[in-house]
Amino acid sequence: MSQDAAAAVLDSVSLDALREICDLAPLPALDDLSTPRAKAVLAEADLLITGWGCPVLDEEVLRAAPRLRAVVHTAGSVRGHVTDACWERGIEVSSAAAANALPVAEYTLAMILLAGKQVLERARDFRASRRRDEWLRTPDTVGNYRSTVGILSASLIGRRVIELLRPHDIGVLLHDPYVSDADAAELGVERVELADLFARCDTVSVHTPLLPTTRGLVSRALLDSMPAGAMLINTSRGAVVDQDALTDAVRAGRIRAVLDVTDPEVLPPDHPLWDCENALITPHLAGSQGNEWRRLADLALAETARWASGTGFLHPVRRERLAFLA
C-alpha cells in the first residue's frame, strides 16, 4: 500500500497485533513491487496485507511471490490490484468493504434525517433572519414521519442503510435487479422498478457501484420524475448520475442534493453546483476516516488470524461476484 495509507490505517497497536499473528516483513510498507527489497519480501510472503495505493498484483509480481496464497485488503474494492492472475493462481482474497460500509451508511442515515427536517435550509434562513419562524405553520412536507426513502442497490452499504433505517417511521423502497421480492421481504423493504423508485420517494440514496452498465444510470428522465423538493443523496460514484441533468434540476430548485461524490471527483471551481443553496457537496468523506480507520485494521487483523488458523475468511471476495462489486 502507499506509505500514507500504511501510516493512516496500520498504527503501532495494529502492527504489534499483527506481529502476534504472523512474521511481519520489515517496514516500511511496500509501495513498489519491482524493487529488489520488494522481491525479497515477496519471495517469502504467504499473505499480503494491502491497502489504498497497492500496486497491481499481475503475473510478473506473482512470479516473484511463489508462496503467496492470500490477500487481505484493508479497504473496500480490490479491483485496482487483484487481477485475473491472482484468481488463476487460486489466491484467496478478503476485503474490509463491510467495515468501510458502516460509516458510509451512518453518513447516509444522518443526511436522510437532516433532509427530512430540512435542517440545512432552515438553519440558513434562521441565520439570515435571526428570529424564530412560525413553527406552528410548518408545512407537512417537513419531517420524517411516514416519509419514503428509496435505496438504489442492495450493496453492502445499501443493506446497512436499510438496517439503520429500521427503527424509524420511514417507508423504504428498493431497486436492485438482482434482488427478488422474497429477498426484499427479508430485508423488510418493498422492491420496485427503477422509475417507481424515483417517482415515489421523498429521498433517493444511490449505492450502486460504478460499472459499465450503471454509468449514467440516474438519468435526466429519472431526476425529472422526482417529486418537487425531493432529495438525491449520492455516496457511490459521481458518474452513476447524469451530472448535467442533476445540475439543471438542482439549479431550477426542483430537487435538493447531498453529494459526497461528483463527476469529476472535484468539480471545477466555477461549476454552478458550488453556488446552489439546495446542494450540499462534501469531499468524499463518508467512507472511513480518522478513528474509523481502526475498524478497517481490526477487520484485517481478524481475517489474518482466521486464515492463519485455517478457519478461512469471514469476508471473502469471490471472483464470480466481482462483476457486481465496486
Side-chain angles (χ1 to χ4, degrees):
M1 63 186 76
S2 72
Q3 298 299 321
D4 286 345
V9 178
L10 297 174
D11 60 15
S12 60
V13 174
S14 298
L15 292 172
D16 287 343
L18 266 176
R19 292 186 180 99
E20 294 293 322
I21 301 169
C22 62
D23 294 326
L24 187 62
L27 298 176
L30 299 174
D31 56 8
D32 181 346
L33 300 181
S34 65
T35 66
R37 184 175 82 88
K39 290 182 178 179
V41 171
L42 289 171
E44 301 295 325
D46 299 296
L47 179 146
L48 292 181
I49 294 179
T50 63
W52 293 299
C54 179
V56 174
L57 305 179
D58 55 19
E59 291 182 358
E60 182 178 354
V61 170
L62 294 186
R63 279 196 296 269
R67 295 173 49 175
L68 184 64
R69 292 180 289 149
V71 172
V72 174
H73 191 47
T74 59
S77 177
V78 300
R79 283 178 172 272
H81 64 291
V82 174
T83 65
D84 287 341
C86 296
W87 303 114
E88 296 298 331
R89 167 81 75 86
I91 291 172
E92 297 178 75
V93 179
S94 171
S95 165
N100 195 49
L102 181 54
V104 183
E106 291 171 339
Y107 170 102
T108 303
L109 174 66
M111 293 302 174
I112 289 170
L113 298 178
L114 289 171
K117 293 286 282 189
Q118 298 186 15
V119 168
L120 299 176
E121 299 91 333
R122 297 171 77 190
R124 180 196 65 219
D125 294 343
F126 189 34
R127 183 181 297 111
S129 68
R130 309 295 168 97
R131 62 180 178 81
R132 191 172 185 182
D133 60 7
E134 297 289 340
W135 63 277
L136 286 176
R137 297 183 180 179
T138 304
D140 63 7
T141 54
V142 174
N144 291 297
Y145 182 58
R146 293 185 177 177
S147 63
T148 304
V149 171
I151 303 297
L152 180 52
S153 181
S155 61
L156 281 171
I157 297 170
R159 289 170 184 264
R160 290 306 293 265
V161 174
I162 290 169
E163 180 182 334
L164 293 179
L165 283 170
R166 285 196 186 110
H168 304 277
D169 292 313
I170 292 174
V172 181
L173 308 183
L174 168 69
H175 175 75
D176 189 316
Y178 302 101
V179 171
S180 67
D181 288 336
D183 294 334
E186 286 189 11
L187 291 170
V189 301
E190 178 186 352
R191 189 185 72 84
V192 298
E193 296 303 317
L194 185 59
D196 290 335
L197 190 81
F198 281 81
R200 292 174 54 185
C201 291
D202 303 296
T203 300
V204 174
S205 190
V206 180
H207 301 290
T208 188
L210 179 59
L211 306 170
T213 54
T214 63
R215 184 175 292 274
L217 176 66
V218 180
S219 65
R220 184 177 296 273
L222 291 174
L223 293 169
D224 288 347
S225 74
M226 297 181 76
M231 173 72 79
L232 181 81
I233 300 174
N234 189 8
T235 58
S236 176
R237 290 292 184 270
V240 173
V241 178
D242 182 331
Q243 186 88 44
D244 291 339
L246 176 64
T247 301
D248 290 344
V250 170
R251 292 184 73 190
R254 283 200 56 261
I255 65 173
R256 300 173 292 153
V258 171
L259 307 172
D260 194 46
V261 289
T262 54
D263 183 27
E265 181 69 20
V266 178
L267 294 174
D270 59 349
H271 196 283
L273 276 177
W274 288 118
D275 297 320
C276 289
E277 292 185 339
N278 52 338
L280 173 65
I281 305 173
T282 54
H284 205 155
L285 57 79
S288 298
Q289 290 190 359
N291 60 30
E292 294 162 338
W293 287 320
R294 176 62 66 83
R295 186 186 286 119
L296 304 181
D298 287 347
L299 186 144
L301 285 166
E303 289 289 76
T304 301
R306 287 178 63 90
W307 188 84
S309 68
T311 307
F313 290 139
L314 188 61
H315 300 280
V317 179
R318 307 294 187 193
R319 184 181 192 180
E320 61 272 17
R321 291 290 302 163
L322 202 59
F324 304 101
L325 301 177

